[in-house]
Amino acid sequence: STEEGCDWGAYLRSLPQEPADIPNAWEEGFCERELAGTSLYAQVQHERAAMQMEFGLLAPVLLAAGVRMEFSDVLWANSMYRSRCFPGRLIGLSADPSAVSSAMLPLLDILNHRHAQPITWKVHDTAVDFVSASSIAKGSQVFSNYGAKSNAELLFSFGFCQRPNLSDTATAFLGCPKEPDEALSAKKRSLLEEQELPFQIKPNGSLSVGPFEVA
């Protein structure tokens, strides 16, 4: 809530009224023109479908409670959260690096990204220290470091890419032609499943193995 009585009201009122310029918030036709054929487009479609499903479940409940919400509100909230949140492990929410947890930190979320910017996080019981390991000249911009991310990750979460990007990757698939021997084809599929490698069987019977991220 942005109401005066809400602890986070001032922060929420300070956020932009328009969604962040990330693919999840793009108009569908524009998103398709820009990203069709990429793994990022599939990721955006998957996440938007999940948001639409959750919206369909929550909207009637909220309306019954007197709160009217549009799907555009969900896209706005998602874009604010995705483009501004910090990994929970940085601020002590979880020691498990695989845990999915994150938090929004007012003020620190306005800092722009610089590759390899030396930043140290120090977590206390009631505070978080954000320390630059390099000197910052008076009047110069203070940068954060969003981590070693590919351009697809940067665009998906923050709405920008970098060139050059030493952390960039490309998505690759390996094609396997259809085997005339069905027993051999079944053996290949079994081996892929045993190694937990993703694959798809195309209509012509060939295999598409992947995706793989190639640096």
Side-chain angles (χ1 to χ4, degrees):
S1 172
T2 59
E3 300 299 324
E4 294 290 342
C6 174
D7 290 342
W8 298 101
Y11 172 58
L12 294 175
R13 289 192 297 274
S14 75
L15 297 176
Q17 295 185 0
E18 296 297 321
D21 189 17
I22 63 173
N24 276 352
W26 290 354
E27 188 272 330
E28 175 57 34
F30 176 78
C31 187
E32 182 176 7
R33 288 195 301 274
E34 295 296 315
L35 301 179
T38 68
S39 58
L40 180 55
Y41 184 54
Q43 185 179 5
V44 171
Q45 287 186 307
H46 176 78
E47 182 146 324
R48 284 181 65 108
M51 286 191 290
Q52 288 174 329
M53 181 186 70
E54 292 176 359
F55 173 71
L57 295 173
L58 290 174
V61 178
L62 293 173
L63 187 60
V67 178
R68 185 175 186 84
M69 177 182 288
E70 304 293 340
F71 187 60
S72 58
D73 298 322
V74 176
L75 293 178
W76 175 86
N78 174 267
S79 74
M80 290 297 108
Y81 174 76
R82 180 165 293 285
S83 63
R84 292 170 178 267
C85 70
F86 292 83
R89 64 181 182 276
L90 291 181
I91 58 174
L93 288 182
S94 174
D96 181 0
S98 65
V100 180
S101 63
S102 51
M104 298 178 74
L105 299 176
L107 185 60
L108 292 179
D109 63 3
I110 68 174
L111 300 180
N112 287 323
H113 168 69
R114 174 181 279 174
H115 178 75
Q117 179 73 14
I119 297 297
T120 300
W121 292 82
K122 296 181 180 179
V123 181
H124 308 283
D125 290 340
T126 59
V128 175
D129 291 344
F130 178 86
V131 183
S132 173
S134 61
S135 59
I136 301 173
K138 180 180 178 179
S140 62
Q141 183 174 175
V142 178
F143 286 96
S144 182
N145 184 346
Y146 298 175
K149 298 183 184 300
S150 68
N151 277 336
E153 292 176 294
L154 290 173
L155 182 59
F156 181 68
S157 293
F158 307 108
F160 70 89
C161 297
Q162 288 193 314
R163 182 180 293 178
N165 182 352
L166 298 179
S167 300
D168 202 14
T169 61
T171 301
F173 293 84
L174 300 178
C176 296
K178 181 181 179 180
E179 293 288 349
D181 184 342
E182 176 54 33
L184 180 58
S185 181
K187 181 62 176 178
K188 283 186 176 181
R189 295 193 299 271
S190 177
L191 289 173
L192 290 171
E193 290 171 351
E194 287 178 11
Q195 298 300 317
E196 298 183 347
L197 294 174
F199 70 92
Q200 289 182 325
I201 303 175
K202 293 187 174 182
N204 63 3
S206 64
L207 297 178
S208 176
V209 185
F212 303 102
E213 296 299 321
V214 182

